[in-house]
């Protein structure tokens, strides 16, 4: 929170006219609904009976994840959420366009995704060979867009006349949206982690445009344009004291064949926000590498006709 306070200290100044709506608060987008639609669901909207049946099968159970070290059973998950509701409708995905609720990857991006999924099963010789999540390296929880996962789905919004600061609980990401009149993005050669976010008010809705992303975030396939960028447009509207409508559009020709859109309703959270201390007490990496060595030893012993080491 020190970083948030320091950021807000730079956001002074005054502006004529009535103050805009205040989006400050502690918000959560925790839900069984996620960005993409599950394979077993075809429609964007479920009836309440269908939603209740779906929630009964999944609430209180670990998520269905690709996992090779027992994480689905051993991790701590937020399991008490139901499906997200938007305009009173139970939604099966946050994506509303394309209509199938799936990210519209181009052919090159699909090939990269397939290779990455295969790489998640190995190798397990060195920590550097594992993905960023395994190594507790930052993601992009503060957006854009702001998407939910299986835990730590809380956000603190702090708003002044000149800035909206978004502090994500997951990985403690911090994003500053500049609200000063006449704000401009830096030249295309200037890249910033989480991009450069500028907001403007359209009535009671805050419209945020973010560009100038790093190449890692644009994630252009190999051989693509090294200067490729992405543009994310977000719209935040208070629906009342406890609800916030959040819509977003992502334009990234390097990875998608078309812009894609999503929307959700965020709810106020009781809190508090917790420190996301990924490394402290985290034995996942050492256990993963140790388990791989045990598996190798067992395979070697089996090939020689002798029993392997006992499981631990």
């Amino acid at each position: 929170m020190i970083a948030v306070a320091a950021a807000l200290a730079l956001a002074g100044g005054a502006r004529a006219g009535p103050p805009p709506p205040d989006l400050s608060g502690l918000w959560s987008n925790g839900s069984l609904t996620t960005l993409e639609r599950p394979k077993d669901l075809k429609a964007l909207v479920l009836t309440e009976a269908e939603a209740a049946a779906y929630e009964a099968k999944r609430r209180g159970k670990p998520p269905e994840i690709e996992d090779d070290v027992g994480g689905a059973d051993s991790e701590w998950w937020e399991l008490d959420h139901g499906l997200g509701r938007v305009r009173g409708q139970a939604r099966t995905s946050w994506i509303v366009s394309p209509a199938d609720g799936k990210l519209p990857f181009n052919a090159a991006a699909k090939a990269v995704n397939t290779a990455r999924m295969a790489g998640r099963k190995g190798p397990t010789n060195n920590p550097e060979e594992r993905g960023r999540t395994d190594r507790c390296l930052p993601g992009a929880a503060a957006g854009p867009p702001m998407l939910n996962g299986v835990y730590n789905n809380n956000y603190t919004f702090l708003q002044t006349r000149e800035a909206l600061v978004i502090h994500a609980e997951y990985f403690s990401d911090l994003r500053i949206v500049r609200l000063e009149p006449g704000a401009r993005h830096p030249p295309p050669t200037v890249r910033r982690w989480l991009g450069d976010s500028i907001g403007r008010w359209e009535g009671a809705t805050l419209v945020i445009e973010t560009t100038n992303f790093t190449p890692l975030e644009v994630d252009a396939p190999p051989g693509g344009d090294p200067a490729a960028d992405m543009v994310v447009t977000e719209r935040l509207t208070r629906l009342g004291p406890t609800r916030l409508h959040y819509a977003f559009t992502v334009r990234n020709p390097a990875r998608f064949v078309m812009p894609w859109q999503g929307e959700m309703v965020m709810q106020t959270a009781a809190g508090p926000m917790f420190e996301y201390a990924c490394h402290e007490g985290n034995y996942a990496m050492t256990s993963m590498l140790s388990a791989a060595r045990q598996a190798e030893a067992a395979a070697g012993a089996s090939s020689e006709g002798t029993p392997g080491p006992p499981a631990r």
Side-chain angles (χ1 to χ4, degrees):
M1 296 305 293
I2 295 176
V4 177
L8 288 176
L10 300 176
R15 178 184 302 152
D22 188 4
L23 305 180
S24 298
L26 179 58
W27 301 95
S28 174
N29 58 6
S31 175
L32 277 178
T33 306
T34 54
L35 179 64
E36 293 191 277
R37 190 167 307 144
K39 295 179 181 179
D40 57 338
L41 296 175
K42 303 303 180 183
L44 173 64
V45 179
L46 298 182
T47 66
E48 282 304 314
E50 292 169 334
Y54 184 87
E55 292 167 342
K57 289 181 179 180
R58 288 160 178 81
R59 187 183 274 125
K61 297 180 181 180
E64 298 177 0
I65 60 174
E66 290 284 340
D67 180 74
D68 57 354
V69 292
D73 299 319
S74 62
E75 293 290 333
W76 180 86
W77 311 103
E78 291 185 7
L79 305 175
D80 57 339
H81 297 299
L83 289 169
R85 265 71 172 175
V86 181
R87 301 181 187 88
Q89 301 172 333
R91 295 293 179 91
T92 60
S93 67
W94 299 137
I95 290 179
V96 296
S97 177
D100 64 359
K102 299 293 185 181
L103 290 168
F105 292 110
N106 57 33
K110 288 180 180 178
V112 170
N113 294 344
T114 300
R116 286 175 178 168
M117 288 301 296
R120 290 188 62 180
K121 298 296 182 181
T124 51
N125 296 322
N126 301 292
E128 293 79 7
E129 294 173 322
R130 303 303 301 177
R132 289 190 297 138
T133 302
D134 288 342
R135 291 184 285 158
C136 289
L137 298 177
M146 294 177 284
L147 303 175
N148 60 311
V150 289
Y151 43 60
N152 296 98
N153 296 303
N154 298 318
Y155 304 81
T156 294
F157 289 5
L158 294 177
Q159 179 182 325
T160 72
R161 287 182 176 270
E162 304 303 326
L164 172 68
V165 177
I166 300 173
H167 179 210
E169 186 174 55
Y170 188 60
F171 275 114
S172 297
D173 271 349
L174 186 70
R175 178 160 63 112
I176 299 175
V177 180
R178 295 182 287 128
L179 303 179
E180 66 269 17
R184 296 177 178 272
H185 295 296
T189 53
V190 177
R191 303 296 189 99
R192 295 174 175 170
W193 184 249
L194 305 184
D196 181 72
S197 296
I198 296 176
R200 68 180 187 277
W201 290 98
E202 292 184 358
T205 297
L206 178 62
V207 181
I208 304 170
E209 181 187 81
T210 306
T211 184
N212 295 78
F213 290 92
T214 67
L216 181 64
E217 294 167 292
V218 176
D219 202 16
D225 181 5
D229 202 355
M230 174 170 62
V231 178
V232 181
T233 304
E234 303 164 279
R235 302 178 69 89
L236 289 162
T237 309
R238 256 195 187 275
L239 300 178
T242 63
R243 298 190 302 147
L244 182 72
H245 184 266
Y246 175 50
F248 48 88
T249 301
V250 177
R251 296 174 175 85
N252 184 355
R255 283 184 60 76
F256 304 110
V257 297
M258 60 180 287
W260 53 274
Q261 298 175 302
E263 65 172 345
M264 68 177 69
V265 171
M266 303 177 75
Q267 308 283 344
T268 53
M273 286 264 286
F274 288 95
E275 177 189 7
Y276 191 82
C278 187
H279 278 291
E280 287 78 354
N282 184 352
Y283 302 100
M285 182 61 70
T286 54
S287 296
M288 187 184 304
L289 300 181
S290 175
R293 304 293 79 76
Q294 290 187 46
E296 291 165 356
S302 176
S303 65
E304 296 174 1
T306 58
R312 292 191 292 176

